[in-house]
Amino acid sequence: MFSLKEVKYKNILNVKHLHIKKNKITCIIGESGSGKTTLLRLLNKLISCDSGEITYNEQSLKVIDSVELRRNVVMLPQAPAIFSGSIKDNLLIGLKFSEKPLLSDDHLTEVLNLVNLNKELHDNAENLSGGEKQRVALGRVILLHPEVLLLDEPSSALDEDTEYLIIDALVNYTRENNKTMIMVTHSKKVAHQFSDEIIEIKRALVNVL
Amino acid sequence: MEGVIELNIWQMAAAYIFIVILLVIVKARGISREKEIIISSIRMTIQLVLTGYILVYLFNNMHPLYTILAISIMEIFAIYNIYKRSKTKLSKSLKKIIALSMLLGTLSSLIYFLLVVVQISPWYNPRYFIPIAGMIIGNSMTGISLGVTRLVDGIDTQKHLVESALMLGATPKMATKSIVDNTFDSAILPTINSMVGMGIVFLPGMMTGQILSGTSPVTAIGYQIAIMLGILGSVSLTVILFVQLGYKTFFNEESQLVVGE
Ligand SMILES: Nc1ncnc2c1ncn2[C@@H]1O[C@H](COP(=O)(O)OP(=O)(O)O)[C@@H](O)[C@H]1O
Ligand SMILES: [Mg+2]
């Protein structure tokens, strides 16, 4: 699905060769500051590499329209973004941004269940805890049903039980809907339990385990 | 102009004595602002005296080139002032947008106002052209100044939200919509507020000046209403141009946020 060749970004990341498979669950691990977030940002085309080439479905990212790409390859940032308004507003804003038809409240509640969040749609999203905000942001990405989910430490603010519950649900969602998931995680345990493929970044160099 | 009191040199001196008394009070209170008060009073005096002589010369030697020159100096001064007033460093492309919006917005408002509303003749008549241009350019300058601060600060402090919107597939326009709307509101708010209080809370400067110099209040009010509408139009137009073009300078052609380049 994604293929990287001789990709360099500043002094932060140096990838000789990397292939990320379609319809698989790939986990990215590595110490903090090793460049995991930077790699996801490159795949979402939020930044462009200084040299080398990244392709998505055999097409160079350089020739794919950024906005078009981001609507198929959606990224969930490490720190969840909450816009002012209710949980419902925050779920719908992703659909508005990507110009997709808005969904009914039933749909939205279903997604809240999927991310294991016991809140009302009209609750104010800005008063939620860190872990709850993270799940709203995750729900927002799932509603978009993108081909590829780029998740940057989606469970960092959750306790271990909730973490496993949600990652399990995400993995099931990905497999059932034939999606591709690329997830950065701080937990090697999570990576080994759930992923088909693990990528480790060490001192800016990328290895496939 | 019958019955108008011309201020003589002694009356002017009395006005300055007023400031001297103020200085004594300021000093006694231990507020260390006397230097600023003296400098700004002297500066204002010199600027206005010079302007007075220049205006007399321009009125007596009407020529389109002189009027164009005067407007050009005002525009350059206003644009330079916006750059200088900004607390953050502005990118080259944003500076270009500021200059372009100021020129397009103020000149088109000015031309409409002078030629369609007031219908001055000849078109370059400096007695109308220069003071009206001053008011339109000055107010638009204040509006854009506020707008620049709001836009730059807004994108800077909400960088994370803007990027998060991009990650979800938003266009740069969608990702900055709330910042852009907010910028427009705060830039035209002072103009709207001054219109609301006008005639009740205070008498506007231009009208006051005209009435003191002997114009009938009815004529003065007519001009004041027209000029306020002109100012509102020009401020709105320049600020709309500025925000609609300005937000784009924070993104590259790959729709990536580039701050500080
Ligand atoms: N825009 C940037 N400019 C310069 N350095 C950056 C930028 N973004 C991240 N970095 C640096 O790049 C390194 C990798 O960052 P990041 O990809 O966020 O690491 P990780 O997600 O693995 O913790 C860090 O040292 C970070 O300080
Ligand atoms: Mg990171």
PDB file of all heavy atoms in Angstrom, chain A residues 13-14 38 43 47 51 59 95 118 122 127 130-131 133 135 139 148 152-154 174 186-187 196 199-200:
ATOM      1  N   LEU A  13      14.600  11.638  10.153  1.00  0.00           N
ATOM      2  CA  LEU A  13      14.213  10.308   9.687  1.00  0.00           C
ATOM      3  C   LEU A  13      14.995   9.929   8.432  1.00  0.00           C
ATOM      4  O   LEU A  13      15.251  10.772   7.571  1.00  0.00           O
ATOM      5  CB  LEU A  13      12.711  10.304   9.392  1.00  0.00           C
ATOM      6  CG  LEU A  13      12.000   8.966   9.520  1.00  0.00           C
ATOM      7  CD1 LEU A  13      12.108   8.422  10.927  1.00  0.00           C
ATOM      8  CD2 LEU A  13      10.530   9.138   9.151  1.00  0.00           C
ATOM      9  N   ASN A  14      15.391   8.666   8.377  1.00  0.00           N
ATOM     10  CA  ASN A  14      16.164   8.172   7.248  1.00  0.00           C
ATOM     11  C   ASN A  14      15.682   6.754   6.957  1.00  0.00           C
ATOM     12  O   ASN A  14      15.966   5.833   7.715  1.00  0.00           O
ATOM     13  CB  ASN A  14      17.639   8.202   7.662  1.00  0.00           C
ATOM     14  CG  ASN A  14      18.542   7.928   6.484  1.00  0.00           C
ATOM     15  OD1 ASN A  14      18.085   7.451   5.435  1.00  0.00           O
ATOM     16  ND2 ASN A  14      19.813   8.220   6.638  1.00  0.00           N
ATOM     17  N   THR A  38       6.764  11.618  13.044  1.00  0.00           N
ATOM     18  CA  THR A  38       7.228  12.180  11.774  1.00  0.00           C
ATOM     19  C   THR A  38       6.902  11.240  10.609  1.00  0.00           C
ATOM     20  O   THR A  38       6.477  11.694   9.540  1.00  0.00           O
ATOM     21  CB  THR A  38       8.742  12.441  11.855  1.00  0.00           C
ATOM     22  OG1 THR A  38       8.983  13.279  12.994  1.00  0.00           O
ATOM     23  CG2 THR A  38       9.263  13.112  10.602  1.00  0.00           C
ATOM     24  N   LEU A  43       3.298  10.097   5.788  1.00  0.00           N
ATOM     25  CA  LEU A  43       2.322   9.271   5.071  1.00  0.00           C
ATOM     26  C   LEU A  43       1.013  10.025   4.847  1.00  0.00           C
ATOM     27  O   LEU A  43       0.295   9.772   3.886  1.00  0.00           O
ATOM     28  CB  LEU A  43       2.051   7.969   5.839  1.00  0.00           C
ATOM     29  CG  LEU A  43       3.261   7.068   6.092  1.00  0.00           C
ATOM     30  CD1 LEU A  43       2.832   5.806   6.835  1.00  0.00           C
ATOM     31  CD2 LEU A  43       3.957   6.698   4.783  1.00  0.00           C
ATOM     32  N   ILE A  47       3.633  16.675   5.926  1.00  0.00           N
ATOM     33  CA  ILE A  47       4.960  17.177   5.576  1.00  0.00           C
ATOM     34  C   ILE A  47       5.442  16.360   4.379  1.00  0.00           C
ATOM     35  O   ILE A  47       4.897  15.288   4.104  1.00  0.00           O
ATOM     36  CB  ILE A  47       5.975  17.023   6.743  1.00  0.00           C
ATOM     37  CG1 ILE A  47       5.936  15.598   7.314  1.00  0.00           C
ATOM     38  CG2 ILE A  47       5.696  18.027   7.849  1.00  0.00           C
ATOM     39  CD1 ILE A  47       6.953  15.331   8.403  1.00  0.00           C
ATOM     40  N   SER A  51      14.186  14.223   0.442  1.00  0.00           N
ATOM     41  CA  SER A  51      14.657  13.461  -0.725  1.00  0.00           C
ATOM     42  C   SER A  51      14.056  12.065  -0.650  1.00  0.00           C
ATOM     43  O   SER A  51      13.515  11.666   0.373  1.00  0.00           O
ATOM     44  CB  SER A  51      16.186  13.398  -0.733  1.00  0.00           C
ATOM     45  OG  SER A  51      16.630  12.715   0.418  1.00  0.00           O
ATOM     46  N   GLN A  59       1.455   5.049  -6.606  1.00  0.00           N
ATOM     47  CA  GLN A  59       1.474   6.421  -7.129  1.00  0.00           C
ATOM     48  C   GLN A  59       2.300   7.287  -6.190  1.00  0.00           C
ATOM     49  O   GLN A  59       2.122   7.220  -4.970  1.00  0.00           O
ATOM     50  CB  GLN A  59       0.047   6.956  -7.186  1.00  0.00           C
ATOM     51  CG  GLN A  59      -0.352   7.392  -8.563  1.00  0.00           C
ATOM     52  CD  GLN A  59      -1.668   8.121  -8.530  1.00  0.00           C
ATOM     53  OE1 GLN A  59      -2.462   7.992  -7.609  1.00  0.00           O
ATOM     54  NE2 GLN A  59      -1.911   8.917  -9.546  1.00  0.00           N
ATOM     55  N   LEU A  95     -16.587  14.679   9.179  1.00  0.00           N
ATOM     56  CA  LEU A  95     -17.377  14.484   7.957  1.00  0.00           C
ATOM     57  C   LEU A  95     -17.503  15.790   7.183  1.00  0.00           C
ATOM     58  O   LEU A  95     -17.456  15.816   5.955  1.00  0.00           O
ATOM     59  CB  LEU A  95     -18.769  13.952   8.315  1.00  0.00           C
ATOM     60  CG  LEU A  95     -18.786  12.553   8.957  1.00  0.00           C
ATOM     61  CD1 LEU A  95     -20.128  12.271   9.614  1.00  0.00           C
ATOM     62  CD2 LEU A  95     -18.483  11.487   7.911  1.00  0.00           C
ATOM     63  N   ASN A 118     -18.962   6.181  27.389  1.00  0.00           N
ATOM     64  CA  ASN A 118     -20.311   6.269  27.934  1.00  0.00           C
ATOM     65  C   ASN A 118     -20.724   7.708  28.170  1.00  0.00           C
ATOM     66  O   ASN A 118     -20.789   8.173  29.299  1.00  0.00           O
ATOM     67  CB  ASN A 118     -20.371   5.513  29.261  1.00  0.00           C
ATOM     68  CG  ASN A 118     -20.967   4.140  29.070  1.00  0.00           C
ATOM     69  OD1 ASN A 118     -21.873   3.962  28.252  1.00  0.00           O
ATOM     70  ND2 ASN A 118     -20.451   3.170  29.812  1.00  0.00           N
ATOM     71  N   HIS A 122     -24.804  15.170  23.260  1.00  0.00           N
ATOM     72  CA  HIS A 122     -24.852  16.626  23.424  1.00  0.00           C
ATOM     73  C   HIS A 122     -23.970  17.129  24.569  1.00  0.00           C
ATOM     74  O   HIS A 122     -23.932  18.318  24.845  1.00  0.00           O
ATOM     75  CB  HIS A 122     -26.302  17.103  23.607  1.00  0.00           C
ATOM     76  CG  HIS A 122     -27.016  16.383  24.701  1.00  0.00           C
ATOM     77  ND1 HIS A 122     -26.793  16.660  26.014  1.00  0.00           N
ATOM     78  CD2 HIS A 122     -27.910  15.358  24.659  1.00  0.00           C
ATOM     79  CE1 HIS A 122     -27.530  15.848  26.749  1.00  0.00           C
ATOM     80  NE2 HIS A 122     -28.215  15.042  25.955  1.00  0.00           N
ATOM     81  N   ASN A 127     -15.088  19.566  28.234  1.00  0.00           N
ATOM     82  CA  ASN A 127     -14.974  19.212  29.652  1.00  0.00           C
ATOM     83  C   ASN A 127     -14.552  17.763  29.885  1.00  0.00           C
ATOM     84  O   ASN A 127     -14.439  17.323  31.015  1.00  0.00           O
ATOM     85  CB  ASN A 127     -16.318  19.429  30.357  1.00  0.00           C
ATOM     86  CG  ASN A 127     -16.742  20.874  30.299  1.00  0.00           C
ATOM     87  OD1 ASN A 127     -15.889  21.753  30.168  1.00  0.00           O
ATOM     88  ND2 ASN A 127     -18.035  21.135  30.372  1.00  0.00           N
ATOM     89  N   GLY A 130      -8.768  13.587  29.470  1.00  0.00           N
ATOM     90  CA  GLY A 130      -7.842  13.304  28.361  1.00  0.00           C
ATOM     91  C   GLY A 130      -8.169  12.022  27.627  1.00  0.00           C
ATOM     92  O   GLY A 130      -8.220  11.987  26.397  1.00  0.00           O
ATOM     93  N   GLY A 131      -8.441  10.967  28.403  1.00  0.00           N
ATOM     94  CA  GLY A 131      -8.738   9.679  27.785  1.00  0.00           C
ATOM     95  C   GLY A 131     -10.050   9.705  27.015  1.00  0.00           C
ATOM     96  O   GLY A 131     -10.182   9.070  25.969  1.00  0.00           O
ATOM     97  N   LYS A 133     -11.390  12.428  25.620  1.00  0.00           N
ATOM     98  CA  LYS A 133     -11.154  13.216  24.401  1.00  0.00           C
ATOM     99  C   LYS A 133     -10.495  12.348  23.335  1.00  0.00           C
ATOM    100  O   LYS A 133     -10.839  12.421  22.152  1.00  0.00           O
ATOM    101  CB  LYS A 133     -10.248  14.410  24.709  1.00  0.00           C
ATOM    102  CG  LYS A 133     -10.947  15.532  25.442  1.00  0.00           C
ATOM    103  CD  LYS A 133      -9.995  16.677  25.716  1.00  0.00           C
ATOM    104  CE  LYS A 133     -10.733  17.797  26.443  1.00  0.00           C
ATOM    105  NZ  LYS A 133      -9.830  18.810  26.984  1.00  0.00           N
ATOM    106  N   ARG A 135     -10.842   9.248  22.879  1.00  0.00           N
ATOM    107  CA  ARG A 135     -11.814   8.333  22.272  1.00  0.00           C
ATOM    108  C   ARG A 135     -12.788   9.064  21.341  1.00  0.00           C
ATOM    109  O   ARG A 135     -13.208   8.500  20.335  1.00  0.00           O
ATOM    110  CB  ARG A 135     -12.556   7.579  23.374  1.00  0.00           C
ATOM    111  CG  ARG A 135     -11.709   6.427  23.910  1.00  0.00           C
ATOM    112  CD  ARG A 135     -12.326   5.733  25.074  1.00  0.00           C
ATOM    113  NE  ARG A 135     -12.026   6.428  26.318  1.00  0.00           N
ATOM    114  CZ  ARG A 135     -12.602   6.154  27.475  1.00  0.00           C
ATOM    115  NH1 ARG A 135     -13.540   5.218  27.542  1.00  0.00           N
ATOM    116  NH2 ARG A 135     -12.274   6.818  28.567  1.00  0.00           N
ATOM    117  N   GLY A 139     -13.243   8.099  17.524  1.00  0.00           N
ATOM    118  CA  GLY A 139     -14.561   7.878  16.931  1.00  0.00           C
ATOM    119  C   GLY A 139     -14.743   8.716  15.675  1.00  0.00           C
ATOM    120  O   GLY A 139     -15.292   8.251  14.668  1.00  0.00           O
ATOM    121  N   VAL A 148      -7.140   3.940   4.899  1.00  0.00           N
ATOM    122  CA  VAL A 148      -6.026   3.728   5.816  1.00  0.00           C
ATOM    123  C   VAL A 148      -6.234   4.576   7.070  1.00  0.00           C
ATOM    124  O   VAL A 148      -6.576   5.750   6.978  1.00  0.00           O
ATOM    125  CB  VAL A 148      -4.680   4.136   5.170  1.00  0.00           C
ATOM    126  CG1 VAL A 148      -3.526   3.845   6.125  1.00  0.00           C
ATOM    127  CG2 VAL A 148      -4.471   3.412   3.852  1.00  0.00           C
ATOM    128  N   ASP A 152      -1.748   7.701  15.904  1.00  0.00           N
ATOM    129  CA  ASP A 152      -0.542   8.043  16.660  1.00  0.00           C
ATOM    130  C   ASP A 152      -0.801   7.875  18.157  1.00  0.00           C
ATOM    131  O   ASP A 152      -1.435   8.725  18.769  1.00  0.00           O
ATOM    132  CB  ASP A 152      -0.114   9.482  16.343  1.00  0.00           C
ATOM    133  CG  ASP A 152       1.333   9.738  16.767  1.00  0.00           C
ATOM    134  OD1 ASP A 152       1.929   8.861  17.413  1.00  0.00           O
ATOM    135  OD2 ASP A 152       1.849  10.829  16.438  1.00  0.00           O
ATOM    136  N   GLU A 153      -0.350   6.797  18.707  1.00  0.00           N
ATOM    137  CA  GLU A 153      -0.544   6.455  20.125  1.00  0.00           C
ATOM    138  C   GLU A 153      -1.989   6.697  20.569  1.00  0.00           C
ATOM    139  O   GLU A 153      -2.255   7.507  21.443  1.00  0.00           O
ATOM    140  CB  GLU A 153       0.419   7.267  21.006  1.00  0.00           C
ATOM    141  CG  GLU A 153       1.862   7.122  20.525  1.00  0.00           C
ATOM    142  CD  GLU A 153       2.899   7.401  21.610  1.00  0.00           C
ATOM    143  OE1 GLU A 153       2.535   7.358  22.799  1.00  0.00           O
ATOM    144  OE2 GLU A 153       4.051   7.655  21.256  1.00  0.00           O
ATOM    145  N   PRO A 154      -2.931   5.948  19.959  1.00  0.00           N
ATOM    146  CA  PRO A 154      -4.346   6.212  20.219  1.00  0.00           C
ATOM    147  C   PRO A 154      -4.768   5.868  21.638  1.00  0.00           C
ATOM    148  O   PRO A 154      -5.838   6.285  22.068  1.00  0.00           O
ATOM    149  CB  PRO A 154      -5.063   5.314  19.205  1.00  0.00           C
ATOM    150  CG  PRO A 154      -4.107   4.207  18.948  1.00  0.00           C
ATOM    151  CD  PRO A 154      -2.739   4.824  19.029  1.00  0.00           C
ATOM    152  N   THR A 174     -11.001  -2.995  11.627  1.00  0.00           N
ATOM    153  CA  THR A 174     -10.103  -2.959  10.470  1.00  0.00           C
ATOM    154  C   THR A 174     -10.196  -4.239   9.646  1.00  0.00           C
ATOM    155  O   THR A 174     -10.292  -4.191   8.413  1.00  0.00           O
ATOM    156  CB  THR A 174      -8.653  -2.756  10.939  1.00  0.00           C
ATOM    157  OG1 THR A 174      -8.619  -1.622  11.805  1.00  0.00           O
ATOM    158  CG2 THR A 174      -7.715  -2.522   9.778  1.00  0.00           C
ATOM    159  N   HIS A 186       3.340   2.896  22.170  1.00  0.00           N
ATOM    160  CA  HIS A 186       4.463   2.894  23.108  1.00  0.00           C
ATOM    161  C   HIS A 186       4.602   1.509  23.742  1.00  0.00           C
ATOM    162  O   HIS A 186       5.569   1.239  24.429  1.00  0.00           O
ATOM    163  CB  HIS A 186       4.230   3.947  24.191  1.00  0.00           C
ATOM    164  CG  HIS A 186       2.933   3.727  24.916  1.00  0.00           C
ATOM    165  ND1 HIS A 186       1.725   4.176  24.406  1.00  0.00           N
ATOM    166  CD2 HIS A 186       2.639   3.080  26.055  1.00  0.00           C
ATOM    167  CE1 HIS A 186       0.750   3.814  25.220  1.00  0.00           C
ATOM    168  NE2 HIS A 186       1.279   3.148  26.235  1.00  0.00           N
ATOM    169  N   SER A 187       3.595   0.656  23.506  1.00  0.00           N
ATOM    170  CA  SER A 187       3.574  -0.635  24.201  1.00  0.00           C
ATOM    171  C   SER A 187       3.971  -1.788  23.273  1.00  0.00           C
ATOM    172  O   SER A 187       3.273  -2.101  22.299  1.00  0.00           O
ATOM    173  CB  SER A 187       2.159  -0.865  24.754  1.00  0.00           C
ATOM    174  OG  SER A 187       1.930  -2.239  24.938  1.00  0.00           O
ATOM    175  N   ASP A 196       0.208  -7.472  12.497  1.00  0.00           N
ATOM    176  CA  ASP A 196       0.699  -8.427  11.515  1.00  0.00           C
ATOM    177  C   ASP A 196       2.159  -8.121  11.227  1.00  0.00           C
ATOM    178  O   ASP A 196       2.910  -8.983  10.787  1.00  0.00           O
ATOM    179  CB  ASP A 196      -0.101  -8.278  10.209  1.00  0.00           C
ATOM    180  CG  ASP A 196      -1.584  -8.493  10.443  1.00  0.00           C
ATOM    181  OD1 ASP A 196      -1.934  -9.452  11.150  1.00  0.00           O
ATOM    182  OD2 ASP A 196      -2.374  -7.682   9.939  1.00  0.00           O
ATOM    183  N   ILE A 199       7.189  -2.342  12.814  1.00  0.00           N
ATOM    184  CA  ILE A 199       8.303  -1.527  12.329  1.00  0.00           C
ATOM    185  C   ILE A 199       8.938  -0.868  13.544  1.00  0.00           C
ATOM    186  O   ILE A 199       8.232  -0.276  14.362  1.00  0.00           O
ATOM    187  CB  ILE A 199       7.806  -0.434  11.361  1.00  0.00           C
ATOM    188  CG1 ILE A 199       7.210  -1.084  10.112  1.00  0.00           C
ATOM    189  CG2 ILE A 199       8.920   0.515  10.983  1.00  0.00           C
ATOM    190  CD1 ILE A 199       6.441  -0.104   9.265  1.00  0.00           C
ATOM    191  N   GLU A 200      10.262  -0.994  13.659  1.00  0.00           N
ATOM    192  CA  GLU A 200      10.909  -0.334  14.778  1.00  0.00           C
ATOM    193  C   GLU A 200      11.801   0.795  14.255  1.00  0.00           C
ATOM    194  O   GLU A 200      12.555   0.592  13.304  1.00  0.00           O
ATOM    195  CB  GLU A 200      11.743  -1.330  15.595  1.00  0.00           C
ATOM    196  CG  GLU A 200      12.316  -0.651  16.830  1.00  0.00           C
ATOM    197  CD  GLU A 200      13.050  -1.602  17.756  1.00  0.00           C
ATOM    198  OE1 GLU A 200      13.558  -2.629  17.277  1.00  0.00           O
ATOM    199  OE2 GLU A 200      13.112  -1.292  18.962  1.00  0.00           O
TER     200      GLU A 200
END
